[in-house]
Amino acid sequence: MLEIKNLHVKLEEEDKVILRGVDLKIGAGEVHAIMGPNGSGKSTLSYVLSGRDGYEVTAGSATLDGAELLEMEPEDRAAAGLFLAFQYPVEIPGVGNMTFLRTAVNAQKKSRGEPEVSAADFLKLVREKAKTLKIDAEMLKRPVNVGFSGGEKKRNEILQMAMLEPRMCILDETDSGLDVDAMKLVSDGVNALRSEGRSFLVITHYQRLLDHIKPDVVHIMAAGRIIKTGGPELALEVENNGYADILNEVG
Amino acid sequence: MALPKAKEDALSARLAGLPALSGKGWISAARAEALARLQAMGLPAKRDEYWRYTDPASLNAVDPAAAKSFNPGDEAPPFDGLDRLKVVFVDGVFDPQASDDLGAEGIRIERLADAAAADIHWAQGLYGVLEAAGQSPVQRPLAALNTAFATDGLLIHVTGNATKPVALIYVHNSDNSDAILHHCVKLDPGASLTLLENGPAAARFSKVLEVDVADGASFHHIRLQGRDHERRAVTHLFARLGARSELRSFTLTANGRLTRNEAVVDLTGPDARAHLAGAAVGDGDFHHDDTVFITHGAEACESRQVFKKVLMNGATGVFQGKILVKSGAQKTDGYQISQSLLLDEDSQFLAKPELEIYADDVKCSHGSTSGAIDETALFYLQSRGVPRRTAQALLVLAFLAEAIQEIADEDIAEDIRERLERWLARHGSKAGA
Ligand SMILES: Nc1ncnc2c1ncn2[C@@H]1O[C@H](COP(=O)(O)OP(=O)(O)OP(=O)(O)O)[C@@H](O)[C@H]1O
Ligand SMILES: [Mg+2]
């Protein structure tokens, strides 16, 4: 599904190197987690994969089912099946959440040569999915993320994911800012989407989320590299001992 | 006071290019007075205080610069589906074949060209009168020129609730047309009218609209200035509002080499309300100027000015807006916002917001901003699969929303939104895209 090879990234405007050779391979249907200290480059990795401006790839590649992602426009990456749930979802005053969702869904359908969904079908579908995430109709009418609480924003990200049905989902600290019940809700939403053809990359600081969304593989990222890879037990180790031991171990 | 030599010469040249005033009927006095006003002021010049941001040369020139008319393809003309009273002018000349019968329930309409020869007419109290009053404290010589030399226009008397809107359609055919139209609208107490205007009218278009809104009357005005790229236009709206009356005016401008839209509104009776709004989108050789002057002369009146401009590829936007609150006008509520969205660094917005307040119990706010598109929001939309152009259009429409919301009729507002969406799909900044 997703294959990242030797990815080196620096800031476009500064001589600051952030990613120093990331290698990562996620198979179809797998769930991988990335943990790592603040500032190690986790969000940067997710932004570079989804095509945000401001970064320069100095080496390496990232492919989705063999197609080179790094050369595509962000919207084409989305149409190819990539989705990023943002660590900090963006507020867009003046653009209604519903308009936003429908524009996005139809744009992706169009670029894949599929027919657009009718307004009525769309409405029904959104309402249904919103309900399972406990997002009320009032919130759908409001401008995108404007005045949403931290947790509401995160749930809105998952709603978008559920509507767009991407194949490769990256969740960047979707658990931060969620209360215990919301975490359960969001995890249920994610788990409902798990399937053979869909993979997940879950970035988190806390083992707690991984109790709900059980990962197949856990990676530790530090200073722009993946320094250790293991099973779910690696997350427990981090939870109990922090990063010091792992960092020392790899030198 | 004698005019400076340069102004004197420019005016003589301009007047030599216009037909001599003919002296017949009630209108001859109005025209002669307007000509005298013009002769005292001279034509506008770049050094004049309210012409610093907009070069009036092409409006002053004896002959208009050529302008081709825009072919809208198969896009339906605005207001097409509405039940309306249609009046068509082609290059500034009334077209009776294309127009409906003048008159409907609650409205009497005459052509200026027909009514002018009469000895007495109700329009005597309006034609050139609000224009003359609007010459102070800011001079508006091109409006006086219009009053003196207008070749046609409509005199609309609204006696009750007009059952359908009056729609003026300004067709532009000839590349070299120079049109001068002058309309007067008189609303009796409690009467109401919606006036729609659409089209570029001519290669160069001068229009004055004088509106007398009596106590409790309501006047809604929605205007689309056509899409010709090279056309030039100078328009004036002069409005006098009585007690508890309402004026709402919205203008959409897309394209046009030069547009100067002036609005001069006098709130003369208590509890009157004036809302002026404009949305302008320009790509390249586009200069758009909104110059507004609102006078609060009575208590508890409300005024709103909402002007938004989207500029790209070297387009220029200008806003000069003033709220004057006279000493007796307590409880005034005045709001003014002018904003531009610059899609690149080649485009510019020049704003001069002014407040002059002589009453102590008032609420007045004004703000002017100039900003770029929010790249983070753009990326967020793109990351959901929305193409960059579409994403940009969504953000631009969001930016324009506050102005479009001033349109009372939701169907018309929606139509205008869709037109803007299509325009935005065809236009984008060439810088950095
Ligand atoms: N646009 C930018 N300008 C300046 N510095 C940046 C930029 N983007 C990332 N960085 C820097 O790169 C480093 C990695 O940031 P990144 O957001 O990827 O970390 P992270 O692993 O997601 O951290 P956290 O766990 O706190 O979310 C940080 O030092 C950050 O300050
Ligand atoms: Mg991060």
Side-chain angles (χ1 to χ4, degrees):
Chain A
M1 177 76 66
L2 181 69
E3 188 164 5
I4 303 167
K5 279 188 191 152
N6 191 34
L7 187 62
H8 286 73
V9 171
K10 68 179 271 295
L11 289 179
E12 211 168 54
E13 311 252 294
E14 288 170 51
D15 276 333
K16 178 168 176 166
V17 179
I18 303 179
L19 300 182
R20 303 159 189 272
V22 175
D23 288 283
L24 186 64
K25 193 171 172 177
I26 302 177
E30 291 176 4
V31 175
H32 288 223
I34 295 190
M35 304 180 83
N38 292 133
S40 55
K42 304 180 298 295
S43 292
T44 301
L45 175 64
S46 69
Y47 285 144
V48 169
L49 290 175
S50 42
R52 188 176 191 148
D53 275 348
Y55 303 102
E56 187 186 326
V57 176
T58 52
S61 69
T63 55
L64 186 62
D65 289 334
E68 180 56 72
L69 282 175
L70 302 179
E71 275 153 27
M72 296 183 203
E73 292 301 317
E75 58 266 37
D76 298 329
R77 302 180 196 207
L82 186 74
F83 180 91
L84 167 64
F86 282 55
Q87 179 173 1
Y88 305 107
V90 180
E91 297 187 6
I92 313 184
V95 176
N97 214 9
M98 207 65 159
T99 309
F100 164 59
L101 277 170
R102 192 159 45 134
T103 308
V105 167
N106 282 333
Q108 292 205 15
K109 294 225 180 255
K110 193 173 163 198
S111 78
R112 292 192 210 110
E114 296 165 17
E116 295 192 348
V117 277
S118 75
D121 287 352
F122 181 81
L123 199 66
K124 200 166 148 243
L125 201 62
V126 177
R127 290 224 175 108
E128 213 171 88
K129 305 217 179 210
K131 203 170 160 199
T132 60
L133 287 162
K134 293 223 166 78
I135 294 175
D136 61 48
E138 186 51 38
M139 246 169 79
L140 292 173
K141 284 191 214 140
R142 299 218 307 253
V144 180
N145 292 327
V146 176
F148 287 27
S149 74
E152 286 169 344
K153 284 180 182 169
K154 296 302 176 77
R155 273 183 276 154
N156 200 26
E157 294 291 288
I158 301 306
L159 174 65
Q160 292 167 38
M161 187 168 88
M163 290 302 299
L164 293 168
E165 303 186 319
R167 290 179 307 135
M168 181 67 233
C169 309
I170 305 174
L171 309 182
D172 190 359
E173 293 194 29
T174 300
D175 52 338
S176 68
L178 292 182
D179 64 38
V180 188
D181 296 333
M183 167 117 61
K184 176 91 172 46
L185 249 137
V186 161
S187 307
D188 288 349
V190 170
N191 288 329
L193 284 170
R194 286 182 74 159
S195 76
E196 273 173 32
R198 183 171 290 131
S199 312
F200 291 83
L201 179 60
V202 181
I203 299 171
T204 182
H205 287 294
Y206 305 106
Q207 145 68 22
R208 208 172 30 172
L209 178 72
L210 304 178
D211 282 340
H212 295 293
I213 306 172
K214 299 241 159 31
D216 301 299
V217 184
V218 175
H219 308 274
I220 307 298
M221 186 168 211
R225 263 189 220 104
I226 297 213
I227 56 162
K228 189 166 185 180
T229 295
E233 73 288 348
L234 195 51
L236 277 171
E237 190 186 327
V238 168
E239 179 88 0
N240 294 331
N241 309 324
Y243 293 110
D245 291 352
I246 299 170
L247 289 174
N248 286 335
E249 185 184 316
V250 287
Chain B
M1 202 175 70
L3 287 176
K5 178 90 174 67
K7 281 218 172 194
E8 188 81 48
D9 292 349
L11 182 61
S12 309
R14 179 76 162 112
L15 292 178
L18 289 160
L21 295 188
S22 64
K24 258 204 309 176
W26 63 271
I27 204 168
S28 61
R31 289 193 191 278
E33 283 165 25
L35 180 59
R37 282 195 292 280
L38 174 61
Q39 280 165 330
M41 293 184 274
L43 292 168
K46 267 232 86 166
R47 254 177 275 135
D48 297 352
E49 194 186 348
Y50 284 90
W51 287 93
R52 246 178 246 153
Y53 301 145
T54 298
D55 185 351
S58 63
L59 301 172
N60 290 338
V62 176
D63 295 311
K68 280 190 255 322
S69 68
F70 181 87
N71 176 3
D74 51 10
E75 189 168 284
F79 315 131
D80 224 20
L82 292 178
D83 182 21
R84 60 192 168 153
L85 195 151
K86 206 164 84 174
V87 186
V88 180
F89 292 88
V90 180
D91 291 315
V93 179
F94 176 67
D95 180 347
Q97 262 74 50
S99 302
D100 293 334
D101 287 340
L102 299 185
E105 206 180 311
I107 332 172
R108 275 190 50 209
I109 305 180
E110 288 162 277
R111 278 180 65 196
L112 181 63
D114 294 337
D119 286 334
I120 50 166
H121 196 277
W122 63 260
Q124 259 173 295
L126 191 52
Y127 187 93
V129 173
L130 298 188
E131 175 258 296
Q135 295 293 354
S136 142
V138 180
Q139 296 189 338
R140 307 172 197 278
L142 294 174
L145 186 146
N146 177 297
T147 302
F149 295 100
T151 50
D152 212 341
L154 297 182
L155 305 175
I156 304 176
H157 186 184
V158 191
T159 53
N161 290 327
T163 45
K164 47 183 164 182
V166 172
L168 310 187
I169 299 168
Y170 302 127
V171 179
H172 169 209
N173 269 346
S174 158
D175 286 0
N176 298 297
S177 51
D178 194 14
I180 308 181
L181 294 178
H182 193 123
H183 310 299
C184 293
V185 181
K186 178 180 162 65
L187 293 114
D188 286 349
S192 68
L193 174 73
T194 296
L195 181 72
L196 308 171
E197 294 183 286
N198 172 49
R204 182 170 68 182
F205 185 35
S206 160
K207 191 202 66 185
V208 166
L209 172 61
E210 292 178 287
V211 189
D212 188 13
V213 192
D215 293 357
S218 142
F219 179 67
H220 287 194
H221 174 226
I222 299 164
R223 154 169 75 164
L224 278 65
Q225 297 189 290
R227 302 225 301 272
D228 294 7
H229 288 284
E230 297 152 312
R231 65 115 186 100
R232 291 170 166 85
V234 54
T235 76
H236 290 83
L237 164 67
F238 294 97
R240 178 170 61 197
L241 275 73
R244 301 173 319 281
S245 68
E246 181 185 69
L247 162 74
R248 271 173 182 259
S249 176
F250 171 87
T251 300
L252 171 68
T253 313
N255 308 342
R257 181 141 305 167
L258 176 67
T259 309
R260 165 89 163 201
N261 291 332
E262 298 196 20
V264 183
V265 176
D266 259 331
L267 297 152
T268 64
D271 294 304
R273 192 159 31 152
H275 287 202
L276 299 171
V281 292
D283 179 358
D285 210 339
F286 172 90
H287 182 106
H288 186 279
D289 174 333
D290 284 301
T291 294
V292 180
F293 199 113
I294 295 188
T295 305
H296 283 258
E299 278 197 12
C301 292
E302 176 195 302
S303 72
R304 272 176 79 83
Q305 302 171 51
V306 183
F307 289 91
K308 305 257 187 167
K309 295 174 170 56
V310 178
L311 305 165
M312 64 185 93
N313 300 316
T316 300
V318 175
F319 175 79
Q320 310 184 102
K322 180 155 181 171
I323 306 175
L324 168 65
V325 181
K326 291 193 173 172
S327 59
Q330 303 297 5
K331 307 265 185 294
T332 283
D333 182 357
Y335 174 79
Q336 179 197 85
I337 183 109
S338 67
Q339 294 181 309
S340 78
L341 187 61
L342 303 176
L343 297 190
D344 47 50
E345 287 175 1
D346 301 332
S347 306
Q348 61 170 345
F349 179 55
L350 305 158
K352 184 178 165 182
E354 295 176 282
L355 284 178
E356 199 177 323
I357 301 176
Y358 298 102
D360 47 22
D361 183 15
V362 303
K363 196 175 92 192
C364 275
S365 68
H366 67 159
S368 180
T369 65
S370 200
I373 203 121
D374 180 351
E375 283 293 331
T376 310
L378 203 55
F379 170 63
Y380 189 64
L381 290 164
Q382 283 180 280
S383 78
R384 273 32 178 164
V386 181
R388 193 178 169 90
R389 258 299 161 75
T390 314
Q392 189 158 310
L394 275 175
L395 297 178
V396 170
L397 281 174
F399 166 77
L400 293 172
E402 189 186 356
I404 299 171
Q405 271 158 17
E406 289 295 330
I407 302 171
D409 184 314
E410 190 39 49
D411 290 338
I412 293 178
E414 186 51 34
D415 181 57
I416 283 173
R417 251 178 239 121
E418 284 167 16
R419 279 169 201 280
L420 279 164
E421 223 168 273
R422 288 192 291 271
W423 190 94
L424 291 164
R426 290 188 305 271
H427 296 265
S429 173
K430 293 178 183 94

